[in-house]
Amino acid sequence: MQLRMDQAALSAFLVRDFGQLAADFAVERVGPEGLVLRLKVAERHLRPGGTVSGPSIFSLADVAMYLAILARIGPVALAVTTNCAVDFMRKPAAGRDLLGEARVLKLGRTLAVGDVMVFSEGAPEPVARASLTYSIPPA
Amino acid sequence: MQLRMDQAALSAFLVRDFGQLAADFAVERVGPEGLVLRLKVAERHLRPGGTVSGPSIFSLADVAMYLAILARIGPVALAVTTNCAVDFMRKPAAGRDLLGEARVLKLGRTLAVGDVMVFSEGAPEPVARASLTYSIPPA
Amino acid sequence: MQLRMDQAALSAFLVRDFGQLAADFAVERVGPEGLVLRLKVAERHLRPGGTVSGPSIFSLADVAMYLAILARIGPVALAVTTNCAVDFMRKPAAGRDLLGEARVLKLGRTLAVGDVMVFSEGAPEPVARASLTYSIPPA
Amino acid sequence: MQLRMDQAALSAFLVRDFGQLAADFAVERVGPEGLVLRLKVAERHLRPGGTVSGPSIFSLADVAMYLAILARIGPVALAVTTNCAVDFMRKPAAGRDLLGEARVLKLGRTLAVGDVMVFSEGAPEPVARASLTYSIPPA
């Protein structure tokens, strides 16, 4: 399987199309097997108590999968999230970035399906696991 | 079924325990059948293009269910979200607040389960539907 | 909103297209607000211990939503389940049928979304809640 | 991580505790990384048209995860499924068994979380993906 966007192209897309949200993320790796996205954890991602908020984890999973799909189909189509299910399993480690490892399980004509494992950087056990479905509009 | 926290108590809890996040929300109604929470949509909740972001909708559902559970069990226990599944169904109407209607379907000893319907204010068709499960730590 | 299939038409469809599975179910009610389907609980639906099996509850939810969609779009299109998420909340009451109350939340051009509440007949508290998404092939 | 039940012990457990359902399945492999369960596809698992039914795929995922958890905690505890979310992605290949590859992502004191990829035997692309949560009763 051929990729239509590499790390540089995806990073540029992120800056151009995601506005201020782009500063939260960095594309770490992209390949046929999937994409790794970093959430650069900052004060604004934390809940009182210092843990990364659920919406921030959701956002990491959503953007990681979005970019993993674009890497395959290119920047032309605008996929829309139709379903996202997250299992929150462990408290993120304090003071560490989060890494979201996305893999595309199906890339159909109208639907794309994948999942994302979320880790605190350097920790072996996942913080969360997300399943996502995107609708792909007709070309 | 008796409620242990009313609208005023939940609003005060929100301000005290959710920090800056509290400014995003207002408790509209609470009763035996559930709770309605308003997301006061502002610039920071929007994606480029002007639609309310997925993480903001997730956040509305999560906080609405959290408060609906607290209304029943009181402010003593700290429930943690273990699963959240969202179906995104329609684009939110531009320039309108979102309302999340939460109902508690099960309140067990260790798990609480519920769902939230999300509407643009004044619109009859739901924007999104979320299912959530919370873990309730032993007293 | 107009229904294209009533209780009799849906029951006939069930017998014709679902083969031996049809004997498990009965369409109780159908209307603009949704459809109620009965699972006629028999020995083959039970797990050791006498409780209705998870796959039987899944099947009830899936068939209920399928018929609720057909009631709206007619028997022409063949919708395929793309996602089904079930929260199992309570043990079904022994020796009672299960009722699945399906409502269609979105009926789009390519996707239909809905949810189903499952009750033991006569019991007020839900046994399970399911969310389902169906893909609707182009006409 | 130590396993408390091996392939032979899990197979014996299946026969003893799952009654007639046991004949549908065979434990292919079990190890620290997870468990592979075979659904021996027969007439009774098929929908009209010859495809494996959704409830049969659900059942494969549910039993695979159940056994993967028991392999770790031993046959003493009775875990109950609280949530199961399935993405159905491709039509199973005709006339082939299905293999469910289960991995345990979290094994907590009261909750276990995992996922299952389902393949037609010999096919590289997954038929379905399931996320499951089990409640583990206090010892």
Side-chain angles (χ1 to χ4, degrees), chain A residues 41 45-54 57 87-98 118-129, chain B residues 78-82 135 137, chain D residues 105-106 108:
Chain A
V41 173
H45 303 117
L46 305 181
R47 275 281 160 80
T51 190
V52 181
S53 74
I57 293 174
D87 289 305
F88 297 96
M89 296 185 285
R90 293 176 185 86
K91 222 177 141 145
R96 301 233 202 121
D97 284 353
L98 291 182
V118 177
F119 297 88
S120 287
E121 189 168 26
E125 305 270 38
V127 162
R129 195 208 54 75
Chain B
L78 185 69
V80 174
T81 312
T82 59
S135 172
Chain D
L105 297 172
K106 178 187 174 171

mmCIF file of all heavy atoms in Angstrom, chain A residues 41 45-54 57 87-98 118-129, chain B residues 78-82 135 137, chain D residues 105-106 108:
data_model
loop_
_atom_site.group_PDB
_atom_site.id
_atom_site.type_symbol
_atom_site.label_atom_id
_atom_site.label_comp_id
_atom_site.label_asym_id
_atom_site.label_seq_id
_atom_site.Cartn_x
_atom_site.Cartn_y
_atom_site.Cartn_z
ATOM 1 N N VAL A 41 1.612 17.698 25.895
ATOM 2 C CA VAL A 41 0.738 18.001 27.038
ATOM 3 C C VAL A 41 1.148 19.321 27.699
ATOM 4 O O VAL A 41 2.312 19.525 28.046
ATOM 5 C CB VAL A 41 0.772 16.842 28.061
ATOM 6 C CG1 VAL A 41 0.017 17.225 29.330
ATOM 7 C CG2 VAL A 41 0.165 15.582 27.444
ATOM 8 N N HIS A 45 -4.426 21.108 28.836
ATOM 9 C CA HIS A 45 -4.965 19.753 28.635
ATOM 10 C C HIS A 45 -5.281 19.047 29.945
ATOM 11 O O HIS A 45 -5.745 17.914 29.947
ATOM 12 C CB HIS A 45 -3.946 18.895 27.863
ATOM 13 C CG HIS A 45 -3.554 19.484 26.561
ATOM 14 N ND1 HIS A 45 -2.270 19.878 26.281
ATOM 15 C CD2 HIS A 45 -4.285 19.788 25.455
ATOM 16 C CE1 HIS A 45 -2.225 20.385 25.059
ATOM 17 N NE2 HIS A 45 -3.429 20.345 24.546
ATOM 18 N N LEU A 46 -4.997 19.685 31.058
ATOM 19 C CA LEU A 46 -5.112 19.004 32.352
ATOM 20 C C LEU A 46 -6.434 19.293 33.040
ATOM 21 O O LEU A 46 -6.988 20.383 32.930
ATOM 22 C CB LEU A 46 -3.940 19.408 33.249
ATOM 23 C CG LEU A 46 -2.535 19.186 32.674
ATOM 24 C CD1 LEU A 46 -1.472 19.604 33.669
ATOM 25 C CD2 LEU A 46 -2.343 17.732 32.252
ATOM 26 N N ARG A 47 -6.920 18.301 33.753
ATOM 27 C CA ARG A 47 -8.033 18.476 34.684
ATOM 28 C C ARG A 47 -7.455 18.874 36.038
ATOM 29 O O ARG A 47 -6.285 18.600 36.314
ATOM 30 C CB ARG A 47 -8.797 17.146 34.851
ATOM 31 C CG ARG A 47 -9.836 16.895 33.812
ATOM 32 C CD ARG A 47 -11.124 17.684 34.108
ATOM 33 N NE ARG A 47 -11.968 17.835 32.917
ATOM 34 C CZ ARG A 47 -12.781 16.918 32.447
ATOM 35 N NH1 ARG A 47 -12.895 15.770 33.050
ATOM 36 N NH2 ARG A 47 -13.510 17.148 31.381
ATOM 37 N N PRO A 48 -8.262 19.515 36.885
ATOM 38 C CA PRO A 48 -7.790 19.751 38.258
ATOM 39 C C PRO A 48 -7.282 18.435 38.849
ATOM 40 O O PRO A 48 -7.950 17.401 38.727
ATOM 41 C CB PRO A 48 -9.060 20.223 38.974
ATOM 42 C CG PRO A 48 -9.906 20.825 37.908
ATOM 43 C CD PRO A 48 -9.608 20.058 36.658
ATOM 44 N N GLY A 49 -6.112 18.459 39.432
ATOM 45 C CA GLY A 49 -5.468 17.253 39.932
ATOM 46 C C GLY A 49 -4.266 16.875 39.068
ATOM 47 O O GLY A 49 -3.415 16.089 39.460
ATOM 48 N N GLY A 50 -4.239 17.416 37.829
ATOM 49 C CA GLY A 50 -3.037 17.261 37.017
ATOM 50 C C GLY A 50 -3.095 16.152 35.993
ATOM 51 O O GLY A 50 -2.135 15.914 35.272
ATOM 52 N N THR A 51 -4.237 15.436 35.878
ATOM 53 C CA THR A 51 -4.314 14.376 34.880
ATOM 54 C C THR A 51 -4.816 14.948 33.544
ATOM 55 O O THR A 51 -5.568 15.923 33.513
ATOM 56 C CB THR A 51 -5.221 13.228 35.378
ATOM 57 O OG1 THR A 51 -5.075 12.129 34.499
ATOM 58 C CG2 THR A 51 -6.672 13.653 35.434
ATOM 59 N N VAL A 52 -4.378 14.333 32.448
ATOM 60 C CA VAL A 52 -4.825 14.786 31.133
ATOM 61 C C VAL A 52 -6.328 14.545 31.005
ATOM 62 O O VAL A 52 -6.823 13.468 31.348
ATOM 63 C CB VAL A 52 -4.064 14.060 30.006
ATOM 64 C CG1 VAL A 52 -4.525 14.549 28.643
ATOM 65 C CG2 VAL A 52 -2.566 14.262 30.155
ATOM 66 N N SER A 53 -7.055 15.522 30.513
ATOM 67 C CA SER A 53 -8.515 15.439 30.455
ATOM 68 C C SER A 53 -8.978 14.449 29.397
ATOM 69 O O SER A 53 -8.288 14.197 28.394
ATOM 70 C CB SER A 53 -9.104 16.807 30.139
ATOM 71 O OG SER A 53 -8.905 17.137 28.783
ATOM 72 N N GLY A 54 -10.163 13.899 29.608
ATOM 73 C CA GLY A 54 -10.784 13.001 28.638
ATOM 74 C C GLY A 54 -10.904 13.632 27.261
ATOM 75 O O GLY A 54 -10.541 12.998 26.257
ATOM 76 N N ILE A 57 -7.658 13.491 25.401
ATOM 77 C CA ILE A 57 -7.344 12.141 24.907
ATOM 78 C C ILE A 57 -8.198 11.828 23.675
ATOM 79 O O ILE A 57 -7.715 11.291 22.680
ATOM 80 C CB ILE A 57 -7.557 11.101 26.025
ATOM 81 C CG1 ILE A 57 -6.511 11.320 27.134
ATOM 82 C CG2 ILE A 57 -7.499 9.684 25.480
ATOM 83 C CD1 ILE A 57 -6.706 10.458 28.362
ATOM 84 N N ASP A 87 -12.120 3.576 25.483
ATOM 85 C CA ASP A 87 -11.967 2.935 26.792
ATOM 86 C C ASP A 87 -10.827 3.630 27.520
ATOM 87 O O ASP A 87 -9.680 3.602 27.046
ATOM 88 C CB ASP A 87 -11.638 1.442 26.625
ATOM 89 C CG ASP A 87 -12.815 0.641 26.131
ATOM 90 O OD1 ASP A 87 -13.877 0.689 26.759
ATOM 91 O OD2 ASP A 87 -12.682 -0.027 25.079
ATOM 92 N N PHE A 88 -11.149 4.238 28.635
ATOM 93 C CA PHE A 88 -10.121 4.868 29.469
ATOM 94 C C PHE A 88 -9.655 3.826 30.487
ATOM 95 O O PHE A 88 -10.449 3.339 31.285
ATOM 96 C CB PHE A 88 -10.693 6.093 30.184
ATOM 97 C CG PHE A 88 -11.146 7.174 29.241
ATOM 98 C CD1 PHE A 88 -12.472 7.277 28.862
ATOM 99 C CD2 PHE A 88 -10.237 8.078 28.719
ATOM 100 C CE1 PHE A 88 -12.897 8.264 27.983
ATOM 101 C CE2 PHE A 88 -10.645 9.076 27.838
ATOM 102 C CZ PHE A 88 -11.977 9.167 27.469
ATOM 103 N N MET A 89 -8.368 3.482 30.444
ATOM 104 C CA MET A 89 -7.921 2.325 31.219
ATOM 105 C C MET A 89 -6.988 2.657 32.369
ATOM 106 O O MET A 89 -7.001 1.986 33.399
ATOM 107 C CB MET A 89 -7.271 1.320 30.278
ATOM 108 C CG MET A 89 -8.294 0.770 29.275
ATOM 109 S SD MET A 89 -7.642 -0.537 28.214
ATOM 110 C CE MET A 89 -6.624 0.408 27.084
ATOM 111 N N ARG A 90 -6.129 3.672 32.174
ATOM 112 C CA ARG A 90 -5.177 4.016 33.237
ATOM 113 C C ARG A 90 -4.993 5.521 33.283
ATOM 114 O O ARG A 90 -5.131 6.193 32.263
ATOM 115 C CB ARG A 90 -3.828 3.351 32.981
ATOM 116 C CG ARG A 90 -3.869 1.852 33.096
ATOM 117 C CD ARG A 90 -2.547 1.223 32.739
ATOM 118 N NE ARG A 90 -2.693 -0.234 32.761
ATOM 119 C CZ ARG A 90 -3.117 -0.961 31.734
ATOM 120 N NH1 ARG A 90 -3.416 -0.381 30.581
ATOM 121 N NH2 ARG A 90 -3.255 -2.269 31.846
ATOM 122 N N LYS A 91 -4.633 6.012 34.435
ATOM 123 C CA LYS A 91 -4.314 7.425 34.593
ATOM 124 C C LYS A 91 -3.021 7.715 33.826
ATOM 125 O O LYS A 91 -2.042 6.968 33.959
ATOM 126 C CB LYS A 91 -4.075 7.685 36.086
ATOM 127 C CG LYS A 91 -4.680 8.965 36.601
ATOM 128 C CD LYS A 91 -4.460 9.082 38.090
ATOM 129 C CE LYS A 91 -4.143 10.522 38.430
ATOM 130 N NZ LYS A 91 -4.689 10.903 39.725
ATOM 131 N N PRO A 92 -2.999 8.760 33.003
ATOM 132 C CA PRO A 92 -1.742 9.108 32.328
ATOM 133 C C PRO A 92 -0.677 9.480 33.361
ATOM 134 O O PRO A 92 -0.988 10.011 34.427
ATOM 135 C CB PRO A 92 -2.115 10.338 31.491
ATOM 136 C CG PRO A 92 -3.598 10.323 31.388
ATOM 137 C CD PRO A 92 -4.105 9.648 32.630
ATOM 138 N N ALA A 93 0.579 9.172 33.042
ATOM 139 C CA ALA A 93 1.689 9.559 33.908
ATOM 140 C C ALA A 93 1.806 11.085 33.919
ATOM 141 O O ALA A 93 1.661 11.730 32.875
ATOM 142 C CB ALA A 93 2.978 8.925 33.403
ATOM 143 N N ALA A 94 2.066 11.650 35.098
ATOM 144 C CA ALA A 94 2.155 13.107 35.220
ATOM 145 C C ALA A 94 3.372 13.633 34.463
ATOM 146 O O ALA A 94 4.424 12.989 34.424
ATOM 147 C CB ALA A 94 2.238 13.496 36.701
ATOM 148 N N GLY A 95 3.218 14.786 33.832
ATOM 149 C CA GLY A 95 4.356 15.455 33.218
ATOM 150 C C GLY A 95 4.922 14.786 31.977
ATOM 151 O O GLY A 95 6.057 15.069 31.580
ATOM 152 N N ARG A 96 4.153 13.894 31.370
ATOM 153 C CA ARG A 96 4.637 13.262 30.144
ATOM 154 C C ARG A 96 3.684 13.546 28.977
ATOM 155 O O ARG A 96 2.475 13.622 29.165
ATOM 156 C CB ARG A 96 4.695 11.733 30.328
ATOM 157 C CG ARG A 96 5.591 11.333 31.457
ATOM 158 C CD ARG A 96 6.614 10.319 31.029
ATOM 159 N NE ARG A 96 7.060 9.609 32.210
ATOM 160 C CZ ARG A 96 6.966 8.302 32.377
ATOM 161 N NH1 ARG A 96 6.479 7.534 31.410
ATOM 162 N NH2 ARG A 96 7.393 7.737 33.481
ATOM 163 N N ASP A 97 4.248 13.600 27.782
ATOM 164 C CA ASP A 97 3.398 13.688 26.598
ATOM 165 C C ASP A 97 2.647 12.373 26.404
ATOM 166 O O ASP A 97 3.026 11.338 26.946
ATOM 167 C CB ASP A 97 4.263 13.948 25.347
ATOM 168 C CG ASP A 97 4.734 15.401 25.278
ATOM 169 O OD1 ASP A 97 4.287 16.222 26.102
ATOM 170 O OD2 ASP A 97 5.553 15.694 24.382
ATOM 171 N N LEU A 98 1.589 12.442 25.615
ATOM 172 C CA LEU A 98 0.871 11.231 25.226
ATOM 173 C C LEU A 98 1.173 10.917 23.760
ATOM 174 O O LEU A 98 1.300 11.830 22.942
ATOM 175 C CB LEU A 98 -0.637 11.405 25.405
ATOM 176 C CG LEU A 98 -1.166 11.514 26.836
ATOM 177 C CD1 LEU A 98 -2.698 11.642 26.815
ATOM 178 C CD2 LEU A 98 -0.770 10.291 27.656
ATOM 179 N N VAL A 118 -3.388 4.685 23.083
ATOM 180 C CA VAL A 118 -2.788 5.889 23.652
ATOM 181 C C VAL A 118 -1.897 5.496 24.830
ATOM 182 O O VAL A 118 -2.338 4.782 25.737
ATOM 183 C CB VAL A 118 -3.880 6.878 24.118
ATOM 184 C CG1 VAL A 118 -3.256 8.105 24.783
ATOM 185 C CG2 VAL A 118 -4.755 7.291 22.938
ATOM 186 N N PHE A 119 -0.654 5.970 24.788
ATOM 187 C CA PHE A 119 0.329 5.683 25.835
ATOM 188 C C PHE A 119 0.902 6.983 26.400
ATOM 189 O O PHE A 119 1.070 7.954 25.669
ATOM 190 C CB PHE A 119 1.511 4.894 25.253
ATOM 191 C CG PHE A 119 1.165 3.539 24.717
ATOM 192 C CD1 PHE A 119 0.744 3.376 23.398
ATOM 193 C CD2 PHE A 119 1.253 2.413 25.529
ATOM 194 C CE1 PHE A 119 0.420 2.114 22.898
ATOM 195 C CE2 PHE A 119 0.934 1.156 25.037
ATOM 196 C CZ PHE A 119 0.519 1.002 23.719
ATOM 197 N N SER A 120 1.246 6.980 27.691
ATOM 198 C CA SER A 120 2.150 7.999 28.211
ATOM 199 C C SER A 120 3.535 7.661 27.661
ATOM 200 O O SER A 120 3.935 6.487 27.656
ATOM 201 C CB SER A 120 2.192 7.962 29.748
ATOM 202 O OG SER A 120 1.007 8.485 30.287
ATOM 203 N N GLU A 121 4.259 8.685 27.215
ATOM 204 C CA GLU A 121 5.566 8.413 26.603
ATOM 205 C C GLU A 121 6.450 7.613 27.567
ATOM 206 O O GLU A 121 6.612 7.978 28.726
ATOM 207 C CB GLU A 121 6.254 9.721 26.228
ATOM 208 C CG GLU A 121 7.506 9.468 25.408
ATOM 209 C CD GLU A 121 8.062 10.738 24.770
ATOM 210 O OE1 GLU A 121 7.819 11.833 25.300
ATOM 211 O OE2 GLU A 121 8.734 10.611 23.725
ATOM 212 N N GLY A 122 6.975 6.510 27.070
ATOM 213 C CA GLY A 122 7.883 5.695 27.865
ATOM 214 C C GLY A 122 7.205 4.648 28.731
ATOM 215 O O GLY A 122 7.882 3.815 29.344
ATOM 216 N N ALA A 123 5.880 4.657 28.792
ATOM 217 C CA ALA A 123 5.161 3.685 29.629
ATOM 218 C C ALA A 123 4.641 2.548 28.757
ATOM 219 O O ALA A 123 4.139 2.791 27.660
ATOM 220 C CB ALA A 123 4.012 4.366 30.364
ATOM 221 N N PRO A 124 4.740 1.300 29.215
ATOM 222 C CA PRO A 124 4.371 0.167 28.366
ATOM 223 C C PRO A 124 2.870 -0.107 28.322
ATOM 224 O O PRO A 124 2.377 -0.699 27.364
ATOM 225 C CB PRO A 124 5.101 -1.004 29.031
ATOM 226 C CG PRO A 124 5.227 -0.621 30.466
ATOM 227 C CD PRO A 124 5.335 0.881 30.506
ATOM 228 N N GLU A 125 2.144 0.310 29.351
ATOM 229 C CA GLU A 125 0.729 -0.032 29.456
ATOM 230 C C GLU A 125 -0.123 1.096 28.882
ATOM 231 O O GLU A 125 0.076 2.254 29.218
ATOM 232 C CB GLU A 125 0.346 -0.209 30.932
ATOM 233 C CG GLU A 125 1.199 -1.219 31.660
ATOM 234 C CD GLU A 125 0.614 -2.602 31.584
ATOM 235 O OE1 GLU A 125 0.076 -2.958 30.523
ATOM 236 O OE2 GLU A 125 0.703 -3.325 32.593
ATOM 237 N N PRO A 126 -1.132 0.768 28.061
ATOM 238 C CA PRO A 126 -1.916 1.835 27.436
ATOM 239 C C PRO A 126 -2.784 2.616 28.422
ATOM 240 O O PRO A 126 -3.343 2.049 29.357
ATOM 241 C CB PRO A 126 -2.794 1.093 26.425
ATOM 242 C CG PRO A 126 -2.840 -0.314 26.896
ATOM 243 C CD PRO A 126 -1.547 -0.577 27.602
ATOM 244 N N VAL A 127 -2.870 3.915 28.191
ATOM 245 C CA VAL A 127 -3.762 4.809 28.941
ATOM 246 C C VAL A 127 -5.195 4.642 28.452
ATOM 247 O O VAL A 127 -6.141 4.630 29.244
ATOM 248 C CB VAL A 127 -3.290 6.271 28.753
ATOM 249 C CG1 VAL A 127 -4.379 7.260 29.126
ATOM 250 C CG2 VAL A 127 -2.021 6.524 29.551
ATOM 251 N N ALA A 128 -5.354 4.516 27.145
ATOM 252 C CA ALA A 128 -6.694 4.440 26.553
ATOM 253 C C ALA A 128 -6.624 3.741 25.200
ATOM 254 O O ALA A 128 -5.548 3.596 24.618
ATOM 255 C CB ALA A 128 -7.277 5.839 26.382
ATOM 256 N N ARG A 129 -7.770 3.291 24.750
ATOM 257 C CA ARG A 129 -7.917 2.674 23.437
ATOM 258 C C ARG A 129 -9.162 3.249 22.809
ATOM 259 O O ARG A 129 -10.202 3.323 23.474
ATOM 260 C CB ARG A 129 -8.080 1.162 23.585
ATOM 261 C CG ARG A 129 -7.887 0.342 22.316
ATOM 262 C CD ARG A 129 -8.701 -0.930 22.395
ATOM 263 N NE ARG A 129 -10.075 -0.563 22.683
ATOM 264 C CZ ARG A 129 -10.887 -0.034 21.787
ATOM 265 N NH1 ARG A 129 -10.526 0.151 20.548
ATOM 266 N NH2 ARG A 129 -12.113 0.319 22.132
ATOM 267 N N LEU B 78 -15.849 10.047 43.862
ATOM 268 C CA LEU B 78 -15.251 10.569 42.640
ATOM 269 C C LEU B 78 -15.338 9.511 41.549
ATOM 270 O O LEU B 78 -14.515 8.599 41.475
ATOM 271 C CB LEU B 78 -13.795 10.953 42.891
ATOM 272 C CG LEU B 78 -13.120 11.618 41.703
ATOM 273 C CD1 LEU B 78 -13.693 12.995 41.436
ATOM 274 C CD2 LEU B 78 -11.629 11.702 41.918
ATOM 275 N N ALA B 79 -16.343 9.626 40.706
ATOM 276 C CA ALA B 79 -16.494 8.673 39.617
ATOM 277 C C ALA B 79 -15.499 8.983 38.496
ATOM 278 O O ALA B 79 -15.203 10.133 38.234
ATOM 279 C CB ALA B 79 -17.918 8.741 39.089
ATOM 280 N N VAL B 80 -14.994 7.937 37.866
ATOM 281 C CA VAL B 80 -14.039 8.077 36.775
ATOM 282 C C VAL B 80 -14.657 7.488 35.502
ATOM 283 O O VAL B 80 -15.213 6.391 35.541
ATOM 284 C CB VAL B 80 -12.735 7.315 37.114
ATOM 285 C CG1 VAL B 80 -11.776 7.329 35.929
ATOM 286 C CG2 VAL B 80 -12.083 7.907 38.341
ATOM 287 N N THR B 81 -14.568 8.206 34.378
ATOM 288 C CA THR B 81 -15.092 7.697 33.117
ATOM 289 C C THR B 81 -14.260 6.503 32.657
ATOM 290 O O THR B 81 -13.043 6.606 32.550
ATOM 291 C CB THR B 81 -15.029 8.780 32.019
ATOM 292 O OG1 THR B 81 -15.565 9.989 32.526
ATOM 293 C CG2 THR B 81 -15.782 8.359 30.777
ATOM 294 N N THR B 82 -14.913 5.366 32.414
ATOM 295 C CA THR B 82 -14.170 4.215 31.895
ATOM 296 C C THR B 82 -14.447 3.968 30.415
ATOM 297 O O THR B 82 -13.622 3.397 29.716
ATOM 298 C CB THR B 82 -14.491 2.923 32.675
ATOM 299 O OG1 THR B 82 -15.894 2.678 32.580
ATOM 300 C CG2 THR B 82 -14.109 3.063 34.139
ATOM 301 N N SER B 135 -16.761 4.393 36.653
ATOM 302 C CA SER B 135 -16.399 3.530 37.766
ATOM 303 C C SER B 135 -16.575 4.325 39.059
ATOM 304 O O SER B 135 -16.163 5.475 39.151
ATOM 305 C CB SER B 135 -14.946 3.096 37.593
ATOM 306 O OG SER B 135 -14.504 2.424 38.734
ATOM 307 N N PRO B 137 -15.607 4.458 42.891
ATOM 308 C CA PRO B 137 -14.695 3.847 43.858
ATOM 309 C C PRO B 137 -15.445 3.444 45.134
ATOM 310 O O PRO B 137 -16.467 4.052 45.470
ATOM 311 C CB PRO B 137 -13.689 4.959 44.177
ATOM 312 C CG PRO B 137 -13.960 6.070 43.220
ATOM 313 C CD PRO B 137 -15.346 5.889 42.715
ATOM 314 N N LEU D 105 -6.056 -5.840 27.564
ATOM 315 C CA LEU D 105 -5.362 -4.548 27.635
ATOM 316 C C LEU D 105 -5.265 -4.038 29.064
ATOM 317 O O LEU D 105 -4.375 -3.275 29.408
ATOM 318 C CB LEU D 105 -6.089 -3.513 26.772
ATOM 319 C CG LEU D 105 -6.127 -3.844 25.277
ATOM 320 C CD1 LEU D 105 -7.027 -2.858 24.544
ATOM 321 C CD2 LEU D 105 -4.722 -3.803 24.690
ATOM 322 N N LYS D 106 -6.229 -4.430 29.878
ATOM 323 C CA LYS D 106 -6.199 -4.040 31.287
ATOM 324 C C LYS D 106 -6.856 -5.108 32.126
ATOM 325 O O LYS D 106 -7.916 -5.618 31.768
ATOM 326 C CB LYS D 106 -6.944 -2.722 31.502
ATOM 327 C CG LYS D 106 -6.956 -2.343 32.979
ATOM 328 C CD LYS D 106 -7.810 -1.154 33.303
ATOM 329 C CE LYS D 106 -7.847 -0.981 34.821
ATOM 330 N NZ LYS D 106 -8.489 0.283 35.179
ATOM 331 N N GLY D 108 -7.792 -5.070 35.839
ATOM 332 C CA GLY D 108 -7.835 -4.347 37.102
ATOM 333 C C GLY D 108 -8.482 -5.191 38.191
ATOM 334 O O GLY D 108 -8.762 -6.373 37.994
#
